Each structure stands twice: as structure tokens, then as C-alpha cells.
């Protein structure tokens, strides 16, 4: 599915994406349910496997060129410069890459020493996504982050000297964190003049340490009223400072929207390399096994340890609704009609009706969009617009 | 006739009746390898899954014993109290019964009441101790229980295992040696008992019968006595695993009849079949028109499906004559049906069959029993109330009567206290307490039937740790202090949530209802007050807080499939919700009153 997103897009992506999953972390954040290991024993073998997988899958994109390469995790900043370069070489050797690709490295403040930042700035990496989350000690401790508040600030001071394109992650709705503290966190990022911010509500995923600690009563449960207020503070502050709220959890200044993430929401193709990584061909989604040893073993025998799901028209419609409503680009009725037919369009309008009346959705010309009021309820709304 | 044996099986649920029946079929070569599957006689998927028998079934086995050919007719009966009338008719069709008792669990209330029925009908009882191969089996003690109950010799008790097939030869031997051959006069006019009927899409209703006197011939003009209808016997035959058409079915034998009847209502279990021209004067006793005991509304989730629901219910009624329904309308739910069921299991089965066999998504409202209301104007004339909203204005009501039952519970002596408190809480009056053995106690109570409808089974199971069995029969109407508890959502009364309850329990039930509904109704974008009221008086209140966050903040490429599926699942869940005013109510909420103690 390729969608026409021209009118409001400052970043229209032509190319496709490569996502590389680095499944290692120094320590486990209490809230995280992504795939990672805190043992680095298999790091070398895993990097070899990533490179091998890149080779194995080099024909998948056919004629498409790669516009974004993204190291995610886990904590990709545990990689040495040499290791990063080896992986990037494999990308450039096996795939056609556009002239100025976005190459992002997710990094944690405790890994970003001055020497590391300088090293990285000399590599092909041209964007850092820094997992700050908060500048308050209590918040960081509660979430079991590996860095402290000082490291967070120091690393931004350094990073902004060597990198222009930086994104900072912030978490809101942290138990015990006042609105004032949240205000301060936003202000700190603004003071550093960071052009992109990803911000998430602290979410209690099942089977995480956070989940267990809350159940035991060791940590106060998250409070959705607090999260809602802080979400709206964020929108207000950042839009007042020239950011566009281009996706539910992403804010960027003009020219700084994440190419990688936009690909997900705009239905672009991407290849996910590494254990647990997901890929999308436009017609199907597939995902690698979320187990380092099994992943390595399979790749070594030149088989992809992945499961695949072919998408029906209905699936594609549902995905477009779900992802479209999260973004500034919305859901184009024109696209719905041409891609899925007039029945789908009529259905969508009928289902939207009550939300349009409640002003949770609105029509911008021919495009259905979510209002600020509706944003925090967007899952329920999307689900209602789904076809099953 | 001397080589025919007709017998049924009396057993408690899970005591292994259907499995043992399978072994009998195996052993007599009545099924080929290819036809074998578990619970052969339970032909409905639902029966197999739940491990219960809903309909009566019959099967004929041929067996050679001491060089002679015998015809053995096994009539398999339902094992649940909801279907006790069917059981009584099956028993009436036999000369003998296998009393199957689980060697670990011993005799249960349901078994005893059916055993008494069999004894009343002069059936020869063959006690079988089943599951003797289980490690938890306690054959000596359970044999003692049986001996005490039947007054038989310990040697008469056959040890068997449905699982391994152990003892099956002994059972067959006993069936032939101990059960008397049918008596009857082939020269008398036809007299046959209907003990069940089954609906066949292609052939209409198949009637199962037992011939007591005379014979039934293909083409014969016959009459059903109770319904006073006449038919031609288009086809008669005996029941092997498949039907074997015959020229006639003779005195003492069991068979099936096809007459082109299209609806189950015309074939009443317990009715007598006789010859039209030369009718018998000897009507088989014990015929009853089975009356529904429990009533509930069934509504389509989507109001547009009303007609389709009606069609589905009509089709269901074709093969389940005990289901009755009449159109009704609810302010909250629109058009639907008030349905009468034999009991709670029957209600669940109907709901499940509607969903499975007819793909209907329905809402079932709070079940209730049938009340008699007498108005001041007409204090001698009962006004039947099958729906709480039919209760006349309290100021005009002289009195309300509710149906009572006599309940028999058998439990371990350790749990007598618990069971007693439960029954008293359920407005029961203790009538008797008998120690069957030092460990096993039989308790009898008079109780309002309505209390059985409200989560009685589950509670009984809990308070007795599963060691209680229960049986009941209706004993008539008694005057009670009943009130209607209404529920208001967002200040609007929802009639489908109303229930008639005893005034003394109203406060407590009202409070629990509000709490339960708060748990079951999903949060919406606004606060939803829930109130319980009796008349104009609010007795309890809760609030469902508005939903403020319904979003997954983080949504990576990897999450898209997972998240899509999650939202699809939510959407499916919503399909089972009913919009009442501006509140969406899930299906389970309408049954909340039954689950107040979960």
C-alpha cells in the first residue's frame, strides 16, 4: 500500500526502510517488554548473523532504494563504532541507498561519553535518538534506567555540539511525578533546542517488572488522569515552540520528522533485521523469532526464522485506519475509495459519524483526522472504525 | 419376545455412563472400527463437548449368549435434573436398569431419585461399580453404600471400567440373566410408549417408542392418544447405529417411527401410540405435558435480526419441544422473545445452540420463574407473571405466589453445616436430615425455585468442595414477600435488568448488582451512574468513571500486527454489546444477577 500524503507532509518518503534490532541492554528498564538480553556473551555471533541476514534478504526490496536505516533495540549504543560500521557496510554493499539517507542510532545517555559522541559523529550515523525519559532522579530510579539525571543533561550538552538531528525520548504519567516536574522536563528539552521529541505515556505491559511491582504494591499504579493532563501539556508546549505533532507520540520541527518512523505510519516497506524485528512488504508482514540463540542458529544455516502474515484488503483497511488516525496525515477518503472501494468509504463515514459529532474526529477537506480531544482515545475510535 | 431385553442406565453426570455404553456397543460388535468415536450415543457436538446427554437415545445390540441370539435395547437417558421427565419416560420403557456408580464418588442425589423412579416402575436393578481402575477408587466402601441402598447382595455388584472394558462381559451376562424379558400380548391392539423424538432435516420428526402390546406395522394408520392426532406409519424400524427399516416392530421391542410430522410439538414424550381402527383402552400412565420452569428474554444483539431470531427459534423448537417462546418487547432491548426452559442448563443449551447452529448473537436477560400475582380487585384469580415487568403496580397487588420445590441434597457430613447455611440463606426450610452412612448425609428442604435460578449450583459446589449432589421436584405455589428490583443506568431504567426478589434480600442484592455491573460494563467517555431501585426508592449506587486514556502511546513497526489484532478483538467484543440509551452494555451484564458471588 502506498499512500498519497502530499498536502501536509513535510517529509514524504520515497524510499524504503531498514530497521536493525540490537537485542542487548546493560540493564532492564522496569517497563520494557521489547526483546533484549542483558548478557553480551553472544554479541559477536549476533552481529555476524545480522550481517548475514542483510545479505540473505538483499533482493527483497527489488528496485526500491533505502531512505532510512535505523538501529533500534535494546540499546544499540552498546555497539562499538567498528561494529556499527561493519553492519552499515553490509547495508551499503547489498542495497541501493539514496544519496542522503537518515541513519539513526538509539542511544542511552550513559553510553554517550564525549569520545563516543565524537566517534559517532565521524561515522555515517547522522541522527541520534536519545533515551532520556526524564531529568529527575526519582523518575529514573522508579523505571530502573541505567543513567542518572546529571548524565542525561551532560549527554545532551555534548550531543548537541556534534549532532544537529537529535531526538529525545520523554516519558510522562510516571507515578509520583508532578505536573510541575513534567513541565520542567519539557522545558529542559526545549532549552537544549532539540528538534524532535518522542514522548510516551508510561504503560504497564503485562509480565514486566513494573507490572509485578505495582501488583505487589511497591510502586503506585499509573494514573490515566495524570497522563491525560501531561499529554495535553506536552502538545500545548511543543506546538507553541514550533513543533508539529505529526504522530501521536512524535513531535518534530519542520524538516526533522523521523523518516524511519514515518515509514511505519505511511505504509512504506521496511525490512527488519535481527531477532524480533518486523518487516512489511506492502502485502505481508513478517517477524523474526524473539530469541537470540535460535535467531543466530537459523541465520547461520541460511534460513529466516520468521513468521509471515499476508494481509487481506480488510487487514490493510484496518491498518490504514489505525496508523492514519495516529498521524497528521489522517485517513484520506479518496485513498479509501480508490484502494478499497466505495463500500469501505461509506462504511467509514457511517462509523465516523458519532465521533465527528462529538468532535473527536474532524474532516479536513477529504481527509479524516483525529482532534486533540480525540487523540488520547484513538485506539477505541480506530477499533470502532475497523471492519471485521 | 423371550430373547429381548430392554434396559436403561441410571448414573450421575461424570460417572462414566456414556463411556460404558460405548464399551457395550464395542463388545457386542454393534459398531465397526470405522464408526467408533467417543460418546457414540451423544450425537450433538454440544453433548460430546460438555460430556453430558441432553436427548434420550436408543440403540439395539445383537448378542449371542450360551448359543442363543438376544436383542438388547439400550435406552440412554439424560443425566441432568432439567430433563428428569424424559428420564422417567425412558425408565418406563424398560424392564431393567444398570445403576452405574463411580467407585470413587459413590451415590449422588440425582442417581437416587432416578433409582427410586426405576424401583417404582418395578425395574430390575443391576448395580455396576464403575471406574474401579482409578487409583482413587474405593470399591469396598462404595459397594457397602450400594448394598445398603438396594438391599442387594455384595456379590450382585459388578465391578467394571468403561475405560478398559473390564467387566463388560459380566454386565451383558447380568442383563440377560437378571432382567426379565418383556411381557405383553402380541394379539392385543397396539399400545406403545413414546419416550423421545428427534428432528431430522430430511425426514421430519423421528419418534422413538417401546411396544407394550400388539405390533406397529409399516403403513398402519395410527393415533397418538394425548394429542389426539392420527398418522400413517410411513416407516418403522429398529435402532442400530443407523436405522434399520422393518415391516413391523413387535411386542416388547423398541423402534422408531416416521410419519411425516414436521414439528416436535406434535410428538409428546410419554404419549401412547395405538391403532386408529382398533384403539387400545389401556393408555400408558404417567403422561405429563412438560412445563417450563425458568423464563428469560432472548433478544437479538442487532435489532434488525429479530425476524431471523424468530426463524431460528422456530427451527430449534422443531427438535426441542420443551422450548416455548412468545414475542415480547423491552423498552431497553426492543423486540425479542420471552422463552420458557426446563431449567438453567436447558437455557444455556438453547443459547449455545442458537449461536452455534444458527449463528445468532443473542442477549439473554435475567432468568426468572413463573409467579402468580393476585390483585385486590380479583383476589382469587391468578395473574401469571413470567417477566418482572409484568408485575402489576404494587399498590394494586393483593399477594404474589412463587413456585416452591422439594430439594434433596446428598453431601459429606463435613459439609452439612455449610450446605445448611446456604439453603437457609436461599430461604430454604429444612425438612429432614438422614445419615445414609456415617459420612454421607441426605438433606431435604422446601425452597423457592427462584433461588435455584440465582447461582445456587455454583454456590453449592463451592461450599461443599464439589461433594454435593442435588435434585428437586416442584411442590406448588406459596405466598411470598416479593419486590421488583430495578436498575437504572445513566438515570434511565433498563427493564431487561429488573428482577423479582424477596424483599428481605433486596438491599443486599441491589448493592451487589451495582458492584457487578460496574465491573462488567466497560468505561465510556462519560461517567455512568448505576442505581438499584425499588419503586421510587434508590437503594444502592455506583459510578463507572469516564474513560480518559484509550491509546497505546508507543507504536513501532513491530507493533502494528499485534495492535491491529488487539483492536480487532475489541471490535468483535463490541459486536456483542447492546446500546441502551447512550450506554453500551455487554451481553454478560444482563446475567450479572446470577454471578453476584463470583
Amino acid at each position: 500500500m502506498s499512500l498519497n500524503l502530499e498536502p501536509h507532509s513535510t517529509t514524504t518518503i520515497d524510499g524504503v526502510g531498514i530497521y536493525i534490532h540490537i537485542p542487548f541492554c546493560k540493564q532492564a528498564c522496569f517497563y520494557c517488554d521489547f526483546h533484549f538480553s542483558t548478557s553480551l556473551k553472544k554479541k559477536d555471533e549476533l552481529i555476524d548473523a545480522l550481517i548475514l541476514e542483510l545479505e540473505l534478504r538483499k533482493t527483497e526490496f527489488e528496485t526500491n532504494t533505502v531512505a532510512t536505516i535505523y538501529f533500534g533495540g535494546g540499546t544499540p549504543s552498546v555497539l562499538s563504532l567498528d561494529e556499527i560500521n561493519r553492519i552499515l557496510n553490509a547495508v551499503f554493499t547489498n542495497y541501493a541507498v539514496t544519496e542522503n539517507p537518515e541513519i539513526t542510532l538509539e542511544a542511552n545517555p550513559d553510553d554517550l561519553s564525549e569520545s563516543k559522541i565524537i566517534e559517532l559523529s565521524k561515522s555515517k550515523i547522522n541522527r541520534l535518538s536519545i533515551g532520556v525519559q526524564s531529568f529527575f532522579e526519582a523518575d529514573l530510579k522508579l523505571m530502573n534506567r541505567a543513567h542518572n539525571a546529571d548524565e542525561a543533561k551532560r549527554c545532551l550538552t555534548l550531543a548537541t555540539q556534534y549532532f544537529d538531528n537529535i531526538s529525545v525520548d520523554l516519558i510522562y504519567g510516571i507515578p509520583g511525578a508532578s505536573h510541575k516536574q513534567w513541565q520542567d522536563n519539557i522545558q529542559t528539552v526545549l532549552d537544549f533546542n532539540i528538534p524532535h521529541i518522542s514522548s510516551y505515556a508510561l504503560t504497564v505491559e503485562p509480565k514486566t517488572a513494573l507490572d509485578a511491582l505495582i501488583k505487589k504494591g511497591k510502586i503506585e499504579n499509573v494514573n490515566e488522569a495524570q497522563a491525560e493532563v501531561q499529554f495535553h501539556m506536552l502538545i500545548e508546549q511543543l506546538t507553541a515552540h514550533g513543533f508539529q505533532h505529526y504522530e501521536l507520540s512524535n513531535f518534530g520541527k519542520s524538516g526533522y520528522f523521523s523518516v524511519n518512523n514515518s515509514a511505519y505510519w505511511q505504509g512504506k516497506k521496511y525490512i527488519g533485521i535481527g531477532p524480533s524485528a518486523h518487516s512489511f512488504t506492502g502485502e505481508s508482514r513478517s517477524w523474526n523469532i524473539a530469541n537470540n540463540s535460535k535467531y543466530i542458529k537459523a541465520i547461520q544455516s541460511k534460513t529466516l526464522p520468521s513468521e509471515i502474515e499476508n494481509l487481506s484488503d480488510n487487514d490493510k483497511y484496518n491498518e490504514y485506519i489505525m496508523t492514519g488516525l495516529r498521524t497528521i496525515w489522517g485517513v484520506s477518503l479518496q485513498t479509501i475509495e480508490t484502494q478499497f472501494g466505495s463500500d469501505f468509504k461509506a462504511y467509514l463515514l457511517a462509523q465516523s459519524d458519532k465521533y465527528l459529532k462529538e468532535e473527536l474526529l474532524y474532516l479536513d477537506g477529504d481527509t479524516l483526522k483525529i482532534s486533540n480531544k480525540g487523540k488520547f482515545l484513538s485506539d477505541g475510535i480506530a477499533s470502532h472504525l475497523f471492519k471485521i | 419376545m423371550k430373547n429381548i431385553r430392554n434396559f436403561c442406565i441410571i448414573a450421575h453426570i461424570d460417572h462414566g455412563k456414556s463411556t460404558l455404553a460405548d464399551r457395550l456397543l464395542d463388545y457386542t460388535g454393534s459398531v465397526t472400527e470405522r464408526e467408533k468415536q467417543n460418546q457414540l450415543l451423544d450425537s450433538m457436538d454440544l453433548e460430546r463437548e460438555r460430556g453430558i446427554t441432553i436427548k434420550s437415545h436408543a440403540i439395539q445390540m445383537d448378542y449371542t449368549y450360551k448359543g442363543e441370539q438376544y436383542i438388547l435395547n439400550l435406552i440412554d437417558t439424560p443425566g441432568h435434573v432439567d430433563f428428569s421427565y424424559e428420564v422417567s419416560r425412558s425408565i418406563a420403557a424398560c424392564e431393567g436398569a444398570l445403576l452405574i456408580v463411580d467407585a470413587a464418588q459413590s451415590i449422588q442425589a440425582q442417581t437416587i431419585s432416578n433409582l427410586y423412579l426405576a424401583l417404582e416402575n418395578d425395574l430390575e436393578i443391576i448395580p455396576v461399580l464403575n471406574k474401579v481402575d482409578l487409583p482413587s477408587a474405593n470399591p469396598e466402601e462404595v459397594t457397602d453404600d450400594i448394598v445398603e441402598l438396594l438391599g442387594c447382595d455384595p456379590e450382585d455388584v459388578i465391578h467394571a471400567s468403561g475405560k478398559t472394558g473390564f467387566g463388560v462381559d459380566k454386565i451383558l451376562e447380568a442383563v440377560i440373566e437378571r432382567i426379565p424379558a418383556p411381557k405383553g400380548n402380541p394379539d392385543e391392539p397396539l399400545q406403545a410408549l413414546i419416550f423421545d423424538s428427534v428432528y431430522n432435516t430430511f425426514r421430519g420428526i423421528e419418534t422413538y417408542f417401546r411396544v407394550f402390546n400388539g405390533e406397529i406395522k409399516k403403513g398402519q394408520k395410527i393415533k397418538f392418544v394425548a394429542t389426539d392426532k392420527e398418522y400413517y406409519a410411513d416407516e418403522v424400524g429398529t435402532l442400530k447405529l443407523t436405522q434399520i427399516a422393518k415391516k413391523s416392530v413387535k411386542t416388547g421391542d423398541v423402534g422408531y417411527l416416521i410419519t411425516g410430522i414436521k414439528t416436535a410439538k406434535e410428538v409428546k414424550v410419554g404419549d401412547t401410540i395405538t391403532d386408529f381402527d382398533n384403539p387400545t383402552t389401556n393408555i400408558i400412565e404417567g403422561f405429563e405435558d412438560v412445563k417450563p420452569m425458568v423464563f428469560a428474554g432472548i433478544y437479538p444483539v442487532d435489532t434488525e435480526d429479530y425476524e431471523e431470531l424468530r426463524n431460528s427459534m422456530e427451527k430449534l423448537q422443531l427438535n426441542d419441544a420443551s422450548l416455548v417462546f412468545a414475542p415480547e418487547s423491552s423498552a431497553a432491548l426492543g423486540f425479542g422473545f420471552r422463552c420458557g426452559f426446563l431449567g438453567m442448563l436447558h437455557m444455556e443449551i438453547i443459547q449455545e445452540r442458537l449461536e452455534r447452529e444458527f449463528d445468532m448473537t443473542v442477549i439473554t436477560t435475567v432468568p426468572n420463574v413463573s409467579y402468580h400475582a393476585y390483585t385486590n380487585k380479583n383476589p382469587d384469580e391468578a395473574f401469571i407473571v413470567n417477566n418482572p415487568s409484568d408485575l402489576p403496580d404494587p399498590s394494586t397487588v393483593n399477594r404474589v405466589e412463587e413456585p416452591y420445590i422439594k430439594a434433596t441434597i446428598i453431601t459429606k457430613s463435613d459439609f452439612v453445616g455449610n450446605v445448611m447455611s446456604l439453603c437457609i440463606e436461599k430461604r430454604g426450610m429444612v425438612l429432614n436430615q438422614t445419615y445414609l452412612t456415617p459420612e454421607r448425609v441426605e438433606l431435604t428442604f422446601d425452597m423457592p425455585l427462584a433461588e435455584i435460578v440465582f447461582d445456587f449450583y455454583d454456590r453449592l459446589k463451592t461450599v461443599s468442595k464439589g461433594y454435593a449432589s442435588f435434585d428437586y421436584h416442584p411442590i406448588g405455589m406459596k405466598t411470598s414477600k416479593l419486590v421488583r428490583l430495578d436498575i437504572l443506568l445513566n438515570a434511565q431504567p433498563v427493564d431487561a435488568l429488573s428482577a423479582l426478589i424477596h424483599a428481605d434480600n433486596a438491599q443486599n442484592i441491589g448493592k451487589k448488582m451495582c458492584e457487578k455491573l460496574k465491573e462488567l460494563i466497560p468505561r465510556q467517555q462519560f461517567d455512568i451512574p448505576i442505581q438499584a431501585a425499588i419503586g421510587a426508592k434508590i437503594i444502592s449506587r455506583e459510578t463507572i468513571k469516564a474513560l480518559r486514556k484509550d491509546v497505546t502511546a508507543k507504536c513501532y513497526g513491530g507493533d502494528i500486527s499485534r495492535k491491529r489484532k488487539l483492536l480487532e478483538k475489541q471490535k468483535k467484543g463490541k459486536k456483542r454489546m447492546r446500546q441502551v440509551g447512550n450506554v453500551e452494555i455487554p451481553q454478560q451484564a444482563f446475567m450479572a444477577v446470577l454471578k453476584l458471588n463470583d
Side-chain angles (χ1 to χ4, degrees):
Chain A
M1 177 169 56
S2 181
L3 307 168
N4 176 13
L5 305 153
E6 286 307 335
H8 300 276
S9 164
T10 58
T11 322
T12 306
I13 303 152
D14 280 330
V16 295
I18 291 183
Y19 171 84
I20 299 157
H21 191 75
I22 308 299
F24 299 110
C25 285
K26 286 189 197 160
Q27 71 183 52
C29 304
F30 283 163
Y31 55 84
C32 184
D33 71 336
F34 283 12
H35 168 66
F36 65 89
S37 162
T38 48
S39 155
L40 294 180
K41 260 196 297 190
K42 293 224 155 107
K43 195 171 84 167
D44 292 345
E45 271 184 284
L46 191 109
I47 291 164
D48 289 344
L50 295 176
I51 290 167
L52 195 54
E53 189 185 358
L54 281 165
E55 285 169 23
L56 286 172
R57 301 178 69 178
K58 65 180 178 187
T59 56
E60 273 184 34
F61 279 147
E62 295 168 349
T63 57
N64 296 295
T65 49
V66 174
T68 160
I69 303 164
Y70 192 97
F71 290 89
T75 314
S77 51
V78 301
L79 298 181
S80 69
L81 185 64
D82 180 50
E83 289 163 336
I84 291 171
N85 283 337
R86 280 179 58 213
I87 298 168
L88 280 177
N89 281 341
V91 175
F92 282 88
T93 314
N94 294 296
Y95 299 82
V97 182
T98 54
E99 207 169 316
N100 293 305
E102 176 189 279
I103 307 181
T104 309
L105 183 82
E106 281 185 353
N108 277 348
D110 45 306
D111 288 326
L112 293 178
S113 61
E114 182 161 23
S115 58
K116 179 91 173 203
I117 290 173
I118 292 170
E119 247 181 30
L120 289 170
S121 71
K122 289 176 182 161
S123 75
K124 285 199 168 83
I125 303 282
N126 55 25
R127 185 171 181 270
L128 291 180
S129 170
I130 303 175
V132 170
Q133 318 309 357
S134 171
F135 297 99
F136 288 91
E137 212 57 55
D139 294 350
L140 296 168
K141 281 229 167 69
L142 183 139
M143 298 186 290
N144 199 37
R145 295 290 301 179
H147 64 276
N148 60 35
D150 283 345
E151 281 173 315
K153 285 184 184 160
R154 197 177 334 126
C155 112
L156 288 190
T157 310
L158 292 166
T160 46
Q161 289 171 32
Y162 298 95
F163 281 86
D164 158 54
N165 196 348
I166 292 177
S167 175
V168 163
D169 285 356
L170 288 180
I171 290 180
Y172 57 90
I174 299 171
S178 66
H179 297 332
K180 170 73 176 64
Q181 285 174 349
W182 177 237
Q183 175 64 45
D184 288 351
N185 273 338
I186 299 170
Q187 193 54 50
T188 306
V189 178
L190 288 173
D191 291 345
F192 277 108
N193 205 15
I194 303 291
H196 186 279
I197 292 166
S198 296
S199 189
Y200 308 108
L202 183 65
T203 305
V204 187
E205 300 291 349
K207 293 180 195 159
T208 55
L210 183 63
D211 185 28
L213 289 167
I214 288 173
K215 280 186 183 142
K216 279 189 203 151
K218 299 250 164 88
I219 294 181
E220 190 190 328
N221 201 352
V222 294
N223 172 336
E224 62 183 44
Q226 175 205 4
E228 190 203 16
V229 171
Q230 296 184 353
F231 176 66
H232 286 290
M233 285 167 69
L234 180 74
I235 298 174
E236 205 171 293
Q237 294 289 308
L238 295 187
T239 47
H241 285 84
F243 284 85
Q244 289 197 57
H245 190 189
Y246 71 99
E247 194 266 349
L248 204 112
S249 304
N250 285 276
F251 299 80
K253 289 193 170 163
S254 189
Y256 287 94
F257 291 8
S258 162
V259 180
N260 173 74
N261 291 8
S262 300
Y264 299 145
W265 306 312
Q266 295 181 355
K268 302 287 173 174
K269 299 175 189 176
Y270 50 87
I271 287 183
I273 301 290
S276 84
H278 285 238
S279 303
F280 176 58
T281 67
E283 293 301 321
S284 66
R285 295 191 181 277
S286 61
W287 49 94
N288 286 341
I289 193 165
N291 177 304
N292 291 357
S293 308
K294 286 182 183 161
Y295 167 79
I296 292 168
K297 215 170 159 197
I299 295 290
Q300 281 170 349
S301 63
K302 305 209 169 174
T303 48
L304 290 179
S306 60
E307 275 182 68
I308 185 163
E309 178 190 27
N310 288 310
L311 301 178
S312 65
D313 264 4
N314 215 81
D315 295 339
K316 289 181 195 167
Y317 164 85
N318 288 349
E319 287 193 352
Y320 181 36
I321 297 293
M322 184 179 93
T323 52
L325 283 188
R326 291 179 73 91
T327 68
I328 199 169
W329 304 292
V331 173
S332 153
L333 297 175
Q334 175 69 49
T335 304
I336 293 283
E337 188 163 15
T338 43
Q339 188 132 7
F340 305 105
S342 46
D343 284 359
F344 277 76
K345 181 180 167 185
Y347 173 81
L348 175 58
L349 281 171
Q351 292 295 102
S352 306
D353 190 55
K354 72 168 184 170
Y355 297 115
L356 289 166
K357 283 188 185 129
E358 292 169 17
E359 295 178 337
L360 298 173
L361 293 175
Y362 67 100
L363 275 169
D364 181 2
D366 198 34
T367 305
L368 189 65
K369 293 183 179 177
I370 199 150
S371 69
N372 276 347
K373 191 175 144 194
K375 275 173 181 161
F376 229 46
L377 299 169
S378 67
D379 279 4
I381 296 172
S383 159
H384 189 78
L385 307 186
F386 269 23
K387 250 188 124 136
I388 51 170
Chain B
M1 203 172 11
K2 76 174 180 37
N3 286 3
I4 295 177
R5 297 291 181 273
N6 297 317
F7 67 105
C8 60
I9 299 182
I10 297 171
H12 190 68
I13 295 174
D14 287 342
H15 281 200
K17 179 187 64 170
S18 297
T19 317
L20 201 60
D22 287 352
R23 291 292 88 75
L24 292 175
L25 299 183
D26 261 0
Y27 195 86
T28 54
S30 307
V31 279
T32 61
E33 270 309 312
R34 197 176 51 81
E35 293 164 328
K36 263 188 206 168
Q37 54 174 322
N38 287 337
Q39 285 180 257
L40 261 171
L41 292 181
D42 294 340
S43 48
M44 262 190 259
D45 286 346
L46 205 60
E47 293 184 315
R48 290 214 176 90
E49 272 166 42
R50 292 188 167 214
I52 52 168
T53 305
I54 298 167
K55 301 283 289 177
S56 303
H57 303 269
I59 190 159
Q60 192 173 81
M61 297 171 274
D62 294 322
Y63 187 56
T64 313
Y65 176 73
K66 291 189 177 163
E68 272 197 70
Q69 270 292 119
Y70 286 87
I71 291 172
L72 310 181
N73 288 310
L74 164 62
I75 296 171
D76 190 22
T77 56
H80 193 275
V81 61
D82 283 7
F83 308 105
S84 51
Y85 180 68
E86 274 87 344
V87 177
S88 80
R89 295 303 83 199
S90 301
I91 284 171
C94 300
E95 280 78 26
L98 300 178
L99 172 72
I100 296 184
V101 179
D102 184 310
Q105 293 182 32
S106 197
I107 303 157
Q108 308 288 313
Q110 182 76 60
T111 322
I112 293 190
S113 71
N114 287 338
L115 175 67
Y116 288 157
L117 258 177
L119 290 171
E120 274 168 35
N121 281 272
D122 290 329
L123 263 55
E124 177 65 34
I125 309 294
I126 301 173
V128 176
L129 198 59
N130 194 24
K131 306 194 189 180
V132 289
D133 56 321
L134 283 188
S136 56
N138 193 353
E140 291 77 23
E141 210 171 291
V142 178
T143 302
D144 286 349
D145 291 354
I146 296 173
V147 167
E148 196 158 328
L149 186 69
L150 291 179
C152 64
D153 211 293
E155 277 86 68
D156 293 343
V157 180
I158 299 171
H159 289 211
S161 161
K163 207 168 109 202
T164 64
F166 172 76
V168 169
D169 53 337
K170 292 272 181 350
I171 294 172
L172 289 166
E173 184 187 318
V175 165
I176 292 167
E177 295 282 356
R178 295 195 221 163
I179 296 176
K183 295 185 191 78
N185 186 347
D187 302 323
E188 272 185 33
L190 169 64
Q191 183 213 29
L193 166 71
I194 298 176
F195 63 83
D196 200 11
S197 68
V198 173
Y199 176 75
N200 180 310
T201 328
F202 305 106
R203 318 217 298 164
I205 300 292
E206 298 167 354
T207 305
Y208 294 173
F209 61 85
R210 149 78 196 266
V211 183
F212 281 98
N213 288 301
E215 64 176 332
I216 183 165
K217 287 187 292 236
K218 183 177 158 74
Q220 183 177 359
K221 191 171 184 192
I222 51 170
K223 194 174 101 174
F224 287 5
V225 175
T227 55
D228 198 24
K229 294 218 169 162
E230 58 216 59
Y231 308 96
Y232 285 96
D234 296 339
E235 184 181 320
V236 296
T238 54
L239 296 148
K240 295 284 170 74
L241 202 56
T242 52
Q243 295 166 344
I244 311 289
K246 294 260 171 82
K247 280 191 189 129
S248 73
V249 180
K250 298 194 162 57
T251 316
D253 210 349
V254 169
Y256 72 93
L257 160 74
I258 290 167
T259 54
I261 298 174
K262 292 279 181 283
T263 69
K265 272 190 283 188
E266 285 185 42
V267 183
K268 301 217 183 262
V269 168
D271 200 353
T272 305
I273 308 174
T274 189
D275 185 67
F276 179 78
D277 298 314
N278 184 17
T280 178
T281 49
N282 199 358
I283 311 301
I284 296 161
E285 281 173 26
F287 171 76
E288 275 173 40
D289 223 343
V290 190
K291 284 191 195 67
M293 304 282 273
V294 173
F295 296 82
I298 290 190
Y299 289 82
V301 166
D302 191 337
T303 43
E304 287 172 14
D305 294 339
Y306 173 74
E307 278 306 322
E308 214 183 317
L309 177 61
R310 177 202 294 278
N311 287 336
S312 308
M313 302 266 288
E314 279 168 357
K315 279 186 196 144
L316 256 186
Q317 206 180 37
L318 289 182
N319 69 5
D320 185 349
S322 49
L323 167 69
V324 296
F325 63 92
E328 72 168 3
S329 67
S330 144
L333 298 176
F335 291 104
F337 300 95
R338 175 84 0 192
C339 306
F341 309 98
L342 298 177
M344 293 299 284
L345 178 71
H346 188 217
M347 182 176 97
E348 273 177 46
I349 288 167
I350 295 294
Q351 186 177 354
E352 214 164 314
R353 290 185 67 188
L354 279 172
E355 303 214 339
R356 280 186 194 212
E357 295 168 33
F358 301 94
D359 200 22
M360 294 296 312
T361 312
V362 296
I363 286 169
T364 310
T365 63
V366 183
N368 56 265
V369 297
S370 190
Y371 299 92
H372 290 178
Y374 296 85
T375 55
N376 290 323
K377 224 177 182 177
N378 240 337
D380 298 321
E381 197 187 327
F383 175 81
I384 310 248
V385 178
N386 285 341
N387 181 341
S389 52
D390 293 343
L391 188 74
D393 184 80
S395 61
T396 68
V397 172
N398 177 285
R399 65 188 190 281
V400 181
E401 290 178 352
E402 63 176 328
Y404 264 68
I405 53 161
K406 185 180 296 299
T408 308
I409 296 170
I410 295 180
T411 187
K412 284 194 174 174
S413 46
D414 298 356
F415 304 119
V416 168
N418 292 347
V419 171
M420 201 87 95
S421 331
L422 171 66
C423 292
I424 289 165
E425 184 198 318
K426 294 286 189 181
R427 300 192 278 138
M429 293 238 310
V430 189
L431 296 179
N432 205 352
Q433 177 178 356
T434 317
Y435 278 79
L436 300 173
T437 71
E439 272 85 47
R440 295 164 55 74
V441 184
E442 184 188 75
L443 301 165
T444 42
F445 297 88
D446 275 356
M447 267 170 102
L449 175 65
E451 296 291 343
I452 307 302
V453 170
F454 287 0
D455 81 346
F456 180 75
Y457 288 100
D458 292 345
R459 297 273 312 277
L460 181 63
K461 224 186 238 171
T462 313
V463 301
S464 65
K465 302 207 165 79
Y467 288 105
S469 61
F470 171 74
D471 188 48
Y472 69 81
H473 63 268
I475 53 169
M477 308 294 286
K478 283 190 187 176
T479 302
S480 276
K481 217 167 76 188
L482 295 167
V483 291
R484 191 175 74 219
L485 179 73
D486 292 322
I487 299 291
L488 293 85
L489 292 179
N490 229 358
Q492 295 300 313
V494 180
D495 57 359
L497 288 171
S498 295
L500 289 186
I501 50 177
H502 195 263
D504 295 349
N505 299 337
Q507 188 74 36
N508 183 31
I509 290 181
K511 183 168 174 282
K512 284 185 173 168
M513 267 295 271
C514 290
E515 287 166 1
K516 196 73 192 174
L517 288 170
K518 182 179 178 181
E519 187 187 310
L520 290 173
I521 297 175
R523 294 188 300 157
Q524 288 160 42
Q525 284 154 39
F526 42 86
D527 283 359
I528 306 167
I530 309 171
Q531 293 158 305
I534 293 170
K537 191 178 163 218
I538 304 293
I539 58 166
S540 188
R541 184 193 162 101
E542 292 280 342
T543 304
I544 302 171
K545 285 288 187 195
L547 177 66
R548 301 188 64 172
K549 174 175 182 284
D550 181 15
V551 66
T552 325
K554 200 158 192 160
C555 185
Y556 265 120
D559 292 331
I560 288 174
S561 290
R562 190 179 71 164
K563 194 168 139 77
R564 188 193 81 228
K565 282 171 196 153
L566 200 77
L567 298 187
E568 283 171 351
K569 204 173 145 198
Q570 254 180 49
K571 169 95 184 175
K572 280 194 191 121
K574 272 203 165 182
K575 269 196 152 176
R576 303 178 80 88
M577 286 196 209
R578 189 61 189 265
Q579 180 112 17
V580 175
N582 56 353
V583 182
E584 284 180 323
I585 308 177
Q587 209 180 21
Q588 321 84 287
F590 292 98
M591 301 285 262
V593 70
L594 304 185
K595 309 272 180 202
L596 293 180
N597 288 294
D598 286 6

